[in-house]
Amino acid sequence: MVKSSTLKSGTALLVALTLTTGTVAPFVMAAPTSAQTAAQTAFPDVSRDYWAAPFIYGLAARGIIVGFPDGTFRPEQPVTRAEFAAMINRAFNMPKIREPIEFRDVPPNFWNRGGIERAYTMGFMSGYPGGNFRPEENIPRAQVLVSLASGLRYLPTAPIDTTLSIFADASTIPPYARTAIAAATERRMVVNYPDIRYLNPNQTASRADVAAFVYQALVSTGQLPPVRSPYIVGGLVGIRIPAGTVIPIRYPGVDRLLLAKNEPPIPLTMKVAQNVVTSQGQVLIPAGSDVVGQLRTTPQGVQFVAGELVLPNGRRYPIDAASNLITTTEQIRKGVSTGKIVAGTLVGAGAALGIAAVTGDRKIEGWEVIPGAVVGAGLSLLFADRIDLFTVNPNTDLNLTLNSDLVIQ
């Protein structure tokens, strides 16, 4: 029987395993009355050498942002709080963390009443004292960063003053925003133009600013690939996932693996089954990430040994992790139908040869042999009328345990 491992924590950052629902969805860049509905991949007022072009075109290529009916993007136009709420709604789909409230200055017929309510319930935006939202007020850059860090549940891991000292105008950051902006800075969500040293936290955010911040926020969740820009603040700040952490993995579409007891190492790519997140809900390893490694068998059992982690955004990290040793066996006897044996099953090349030898069914090419398995692999415990094979459930048995800390940046 395979023993399950538990999540360990110590002095390193606590990491919890859970399913989250954050996904990428399109967002609009203006009120519905003025923004066009079809996504664009080129804007006449955004040249390819424009400072925010990588962010704007990166989002536009995925249908996440659109321009105006005249085809322009208007990158320098200010963004109101109501417009930003619309962007949040279309860019993120986080769980609701609080009940909606009635804002006194958002009437029932306001164009984005529903979007403001949802941005509030997801934790991205809040109101002002007196029950007002101020939907038509231009949003400052500091508020945009606070909103994104709050909605994504980001908290700083380093001393706040130390992190913010990177900004020459750190003293102008409003007190309410310091914690969130420090967290956003650690996650490389801050983009400063024209001078990377100046945050300009109280300056009204332009559509270009917001595109850059939102793009970087989606990069931080592993949902978009990083872009190269000299205006992204800070080096990579690593978050350490401690040794002993369990990462659930699976092999989609397969219920069982059958392996001979001395199969050569078999290259195999598994999928991360659930988001790996911090205790604050920050996604470190998104579900669906690839884990590249090998299935290794010995006479004592089978183990999956991981060597590389590949996130959906293309980032690659070396990983030192392995599953428990699986010792469960299944005996195949002469006369058993091979169709029943291999249904929903991937078999190693050695196991396929062994099954063929015992059952007399030589049509190995018709079976699902594990990709990368070496045909002609040797066998152990092969008798005239039976063979013992290791049997593995790839969706429950091969969960990884980190042998050493993994740093995700």
Side-chain angles (χ1 to χ4, degrees), residues 185-403:
T185 303
E186 289 184 8
R187 302 305 298 174
R188 303 189 79 219
M189 291 163 52
V190 180
V191 184
N192 290 341
Y193 175 85
D195 191 332
I196 195 172
R197 298 172 301 167
Y198 288 88
L199 176 65
N200 295 311
N202 302 304
Q203 178 178 296
T204 296
S206 68
R207 286 162 54 83
D209 289 331
V210 172
F213 291 156
V214 170
Y215 190 99
Q216 287 301 106
L218 293 171
V219 170
S220 77
T221 64
Q223 297 177 80
L224 287 181
V227 297
R228 302 181 70 88
S229 169
Y231 305 111
I232 298 173
V233 175
L236 295 178
V237 178
I239 295 183
R240 190 174 302 277
I241 305 176
T245 298
V246 175
I247 301 176
I249 60 174
R250 61 190 177 90
Y251 196 101
V254 176
D255 299 323
R256 183 176 64 159
L257 304 175
L258 286 177
L259 301 161
K261 293 193 173 182
N262 60 349
E263 299 266 7
I266 300 173
L268 197 66
T269 298
M270 305 285 288
K271 292 284 187 183
V272 174
Q274 294 175 302
N275 286 342
V276 177
V277 304
T278 67
S279 56
Q280 290 82 38
Q282 175 185 347
V283 178
L284 301 179
I285 304 176
S289 299
D290 288 336
V291 180
V292 182
Q294 291 183 334
L295 275 177
R296 298 179 183 176
T297 63
T298 68
Q300 288 73 44
V302 179
Q303 189 176 40
F304 179 69
V305 179
E308 185 178 45
L309 173 68
V310 185
L311 302 186
N313 63 11
R315 288 183 182 172
R316 295 175 175 267
Y317 300 95
I319 182 173
D320 177 17
S323 71
N324 289 327
L325 188 69
I326 310 303
T327 60
T328 307
T329 61
E330 179 176 339
Q331 190 171 90
I332 308 299
R333 290 182 173 273
K334 187 175 182 179
V336 175
S337 167
T338 56
K340 293 182 179 180
I341 296 172
V342 300
T345 301
L346 280 179
V347 298
L353 290 173
I355 294 170
V358 169
T359 63
D361 186 344
R362 303 290 176 174
K363 296 180 180 179
I364 298 175
E365 68 277 4
W367 302 349
E368 293 292 333
V369 178
I370 299 174
V374 180
V375 176
L379 300 174
S380 65
L381 300 181
L382 177 60
F383 301 93
D385 61 348
R386 67 186 186 278
I387 181 175
D388 289 323
L389 302 175
F390 290 120
T391 179
V392 179
N393 184 330
N395 302 306
T396 58
D397 292 346
L398 300 180
N399 291 338
L400 294 173
T401 300
L402 291 178
N403 296 322

Side-chain angles (χ1 to χ4, degrees), residues 3-356:
K3 295 182 179 179
S4 61
S5 299
T6 58
L7 180 68
K8 298 181 180 179
S9 64
T11 57
L13 173 68
L14 174 66
V15 177
L17 301 180
T18 183
L19 277 174
T20 65
T21 57
T23 57
V24 177
F27 68 88
V28 294
M29 295 296 285
T33 55
S34 58
Q36 66 184 42
T37 58
Q40 292 176 242
T41 57
F43 301 101
D45 55 346
V46 180
S47 63
R48 291 292 173 175
D49 59 357
Y50 180 66
W51 74 267
F55 311 104
I56 293 170
Y57 285 120
L59 295 176
R62 293 162 177 83
I64 297 175
I65 60 173
V66 297
F68 289 87
D70 63 358
T72 62
F73 183 77
R74 305 178 195 175
E76 303 302 323
Q77 180 170 300
V79 176
T80 67
R81 283 171 51 83
E83 289 171 345
F84 182 64
M87 302 173 194
I88 288 295
N89 271 272
R90 301 297 300 277
F92 302 97
N93 184 25
M94 297 293 288
K96 183 172 76 170
I97 63 170
R98 55 191 176 187
E99 294 302 315
I101 63 173
E102 294 286 333
F103 290 108
R104 296 173 55 187
D105 55 351
V106 182
N109 62 346
F110 186 75
W111 71 268
N112 193 32
R113 178 183 172 90
I116 291 172
E117 178 180 296
R118 189 161 177 268
Y120 174 83
T121 61
M122 288 192 295
F124 281 96
M125 301 188 75
S126 297
Y128 288 89
N132 292 317
F133 186 81
R134 304 182 189 175
E136 302 298 348
E137 184 175 272
N138 290 339
I139 189 167
R141 284 166 52 88
Q143 276 193 26
V144 174
L145 291 170
V146 169
S147 171
L148 293 171
S150 299
L152 294 174
R153 324 291 192 251
Y154 288 167
L155 292 175
T157 61
I160 293 173
D161 289 344
T162 301
T163 300
L164 297 182
S165 66
I166 194 172
F167 301 114
D169 56 352
S171 63
T172 66
I173 300 174
Y176 79 88
R178 292 177 64 83
T179 298
I181 289 178
T185 303
E186 289 184 8
R187 302 305 298 174
R188 303 189 79 219
M189 291 163 52
V190 180
V191 184
N192 290 341
Y193 175 85
D195 191 332
I196 195 172
R197 298 172 301 167
Y198 288 88
L199 176 65
N200 295 311
N202 302 304
Q203 178 178 296
T204 296
S206 68
R207 286 162 54 83
D209 289 331
V210 172
F213 291 156
V214 170
Y215 190 99
Q216 287 301 106
L218 293 171
V219 170
S220 77
T221 64
Q223 297 177 80
L224 287 181
V227 297
R228 302 181 70 88
S229 169
Y231 305 111
I232 298 173
V233 175
L236 295 178
V237 178
I239 295 183
R240 190 174 302 277
I241 305 176
T245 298
V246 175
I247 301 176
I249 60 174
R250 61 190 177 90
Y251 196 101
V254 176
D255 299 323
R256 183 176 64 159
L257 304 175
L258 286 177
L259 301 161
K261 293 193 173 182
N262 60 349
E263 299 266 7
I266 300 173
L268 197 66
T269 298
M270 305 285 288
K271 292 284 187 183
V272 174
Q274 294 175 302
N275 286 342
V276 177
V277 304
T278 67
S279 56
Q280 290 82 38
Q282 175 185 347
V283 178
L284 301 179
I285 304 176
S289 299
D290 288 336
V291 180
V292 182
Q294 291 183 334
L295 275 177
R296 298 179 183 176
T297 63
T298 68
Q300 288 73 44
V302 179
Q303 189 176 40
F304 179 69
V305 179
E308 185 178 45
L309 173 68
V310 185
L311 302 186
N313 63 11
R315 288 183 182 172
R316 295 175 175 267
Y317 300 95
I319 182 173
D320 177 17
S323 71
N324 289 327
L325 188 69
I326 310 303
T327 60
T328 307
T329 61
E330 179 176 339
Q331 190 171 90
I332 308 299
R333 290 182 173 273
K334 187 175 182 179
V336 175
S337 167
T338 56
K340 293 182 179 180
I341 296 172
V342 300
T345 301
L346 280 179
V347 298
L353 290 173
I355 294 170

